[in-house]
Amino acid sequence: MTTKFHRAAVAGAVLALGAVGLSACGANDTDSGGDSASGGGTTIALLLPESKTTRYETFDKPLFEAKVAELCSDCTVDYYNADQDAAKQTEQVATALNAGADVLVLDPVNGPGATTMVDDARAEGVPVIAYDRLITNADYYMSFDNETVGKLQAQALVDDLGDTGNILMLNGSPDDPNAGQFKAGAHSVLDASGVTILEEYDNPDWSPENAQKWTSDQLSKIDPADIDGVYAANDGQAGGVVAALTGAGVSADALPPITGQDAEIAALQRIISGEQAMTIYKSIKLEAETAAEVAVALVKGEDVPATTETGVTQTEYEGLKSYIFDPVVVTVDNIADSVIADGFYSVDDICTADFAAACEAAGIS
């Protein structure tokens, strides 16, 4: 059965509620964060958590929309971004449901808090795909192996330090279930190593600004020369750390090894120029297109594939039907063989005029 048939019993109530909701705050209203990609007979709502991390607007949204358009000519994608505001995302879910969404693809600001949103969707017969971050009562879940991400980051740092030294540790938001998994994975490596964590911070919004301020605060108490490395859970925070250290007088060529995640252009440029040790590359194209394929199957009333067109096999994660993807460590040695070879970025994207010499020295051309 399609989602529309699931909802037949409550159609009159939903339509009445939808009329009220749309007259007050339409799904494509600028204030609600909605943005319709196309017109059509069925609607998929894509709800992403924030825009400070560049991946969401630059990759997840357009890749998801393009794949849906390829698979379903009469499907509409209604897009919402919560700007790291859990209350705003709750309102956006209500707006999407009132507007008649047939499937929610939800990347929650607050994973535990999102269970209520899933309950609201389920009450209207609307399935929910937990996208990138876990929601324990969702119908489907897709993400990367997040504990492995943390382990890979921490192991890269430990290897760089020779299993000794003092580090700062910057984690993601406590409300983000992925952040807890990254942190657990990283600690499993760091706590078993000879590395000492001088200070640790859970960044409430993942922002580079908070990372820079917190690191600067630590530098008022700790001599930069006593910091041998930095675990930063993502590239935005790594950039904030670099800004704080260089602002404190550490020269770019004397920065300690710093980790990252997301393979942002700025991070890849820092890696090429020696300001960041590594990042984690996650094929967002694979994740977004898998989510689109599952969402389209649901709105068409078709069986969700055991193995998708993208080549990912359905498995189980914490009791949920899931699609789990593998992360990749990126250093200066394999930028060309990973993000560039996959078409995530081109050489021209990364090797701008300011980084041309560093690219040439690294053999990237």
Side-chain angles (χ1 to χ4, degrees):
M1 287 193 299
T2 67
T3 304
K4 290 184 183 298
F5 291 145
H6 277 294
R7 290 159 59 183
V10 293
V14 171
L15 286 172
L17 183 57
V20 173
L22 284 172
S23 64
C25 184
N28 301 317
D29 192 315
T30 301
D31 290 339
S32 74
D35 175 33
S36 179
S38 62
T42 53
T43 302
I44 299 167
L46 175 64
L47 301 109
L48 299 182
E50 48 101 350
S51 55
K52 288 188 177 181
T53 303
T54 60
R55 59 166 285 188
Y56 293 114
E57 300 287 331
T58 305
F59 294 103
D60 296 83
K61 175 182 182 287
L63 287 168
F64 180 86
E65 290 174 342
K67 189 63 176 179
V68 169
E70 175 191 324
L71 296 172
C72 181
S73 60
D74 66 344
C75 287
T76 297
V77 176
D78 282 350
Y79 173 65
Y80 305 81
N81 193 301
D83 297 317
Q84 199 60 37
D85 184 334
K88 180 177 180 178
Q89 189 167 66
T90 299
E91 294 172 359
Q92 290 174 338
V93 167
T95 299
L97 292 173
N98 291 345
D102 298 287
V103 175
L104 302 186
V105 180
L106 176 60
D107 190 342
V109 173
N110 183 318
T115 57
T116 301
M117 302 181 208
V118 174
D119 289 340
D120 292 342
R122 185 166 287 132
E124 296 190 18
V126 177
V128 178
I129 299 170
Y131 181 79
D132 202 59
R133 297 175 180 176
L134 180 66
I135 310 172
T136 55
N137 61 338
D139 296 281
Y140 293 89
Y141 169 59
M142 54 192 63
S143 187
F144 291 83
D145 186 339
N146 294 317
E147 284 208 17
T148 294
V149 169
K151 290 177 181 178
L152 291 172
Q153 292 171 310
Q155 191 61 57
L157 185 58
V158 169
D159 290 346
D160 260 346
L161 296 176
D163 200 31
T164 187
N166 301 318
I167 70 166
L168 300 178
M169 187 171 187
L170 293 89
N171 305 302
S173 169
D175 292 333
D176 177 350
N178 284 10
Q181 293 166 0
F182 302 145
K183 181 178 177 178
H187 266 292
S188 72
V189 173
L190 295 173
D191 295 350
S193 75
V195 168
T196 299
I197 301 171
L198 296 174
E199 297 289 346
E200 185 170 357
Y201 174 56
D202 292 346
N203 187 338
D205 67 357
W206 285 96
S207 71
E209 295 82 7
N210 279 348
Q212 181 175 352
K213 182 180 184 304
W214 181 82
T215 304
S216 294
D217 289 345
Q218 305 317 302
L219 295 176
S220 69
K221 302 176 287 185
I222 304 169
D223 188 329
D226 293 332
I227 299 171
D228 301 301
V230 180
Y231 172 89
N234 74 333
D235 290 335
Q237 294 195 91
V241 170
V242 170
L245 287 168
T246 55
V250 179
S251 63
D253 59 1
L255 288 167
I258 301 167
T259 67
Q261 176 182 185
D262 293 327
E264 295 182 355
I265 283 183
L268 297 171
Q269 291 171 333
R270 287 193 296 269
I271 289 170
I272 289 167
S273 61
E275 296 181 347
Q276 184 171 324
M278 57 80 70
T279 187
I280 294 290
Y281 168 52
K282 301 182 294 187
S283 178
I284 297 169
K285 185 174 190 292
L286 179 62
E287 183 177 27
E289 291 187 348
T290 300
E293 188 175 344
V294 172
V296 168
L298 289 169
V299 299
K300 288 184 173 181
E302 299 172 351
D303 290 337
V304 173
T307 299
T308 65
E309 289 181 9
T310 54
V312 183
T313 298
Q314 187 183 119
T315 185
E316 184 175 293
Y317 182 85
E318 295 197 7
L320 298 180
K321 297 174 182 177
S322 302
Y323 299 85
I324 306 298
F325 318 110
D326 294 325
V328 176
V329 172
V330 175
T331 67
V332 69
D333 295 326
N334 69 334
I335 287 176
D337 297 329
S338 54
V339 294
I340 293 174
D342 282 2
F344 191 67
Y345 289 120
S346 69
V347 172
D348 290 342
D349 291 331
I350 300 168
C351 299
T352 57
D354 289 343
F355 298 93
C359 282
E360 183 176 356
I364 301 170
S365 60

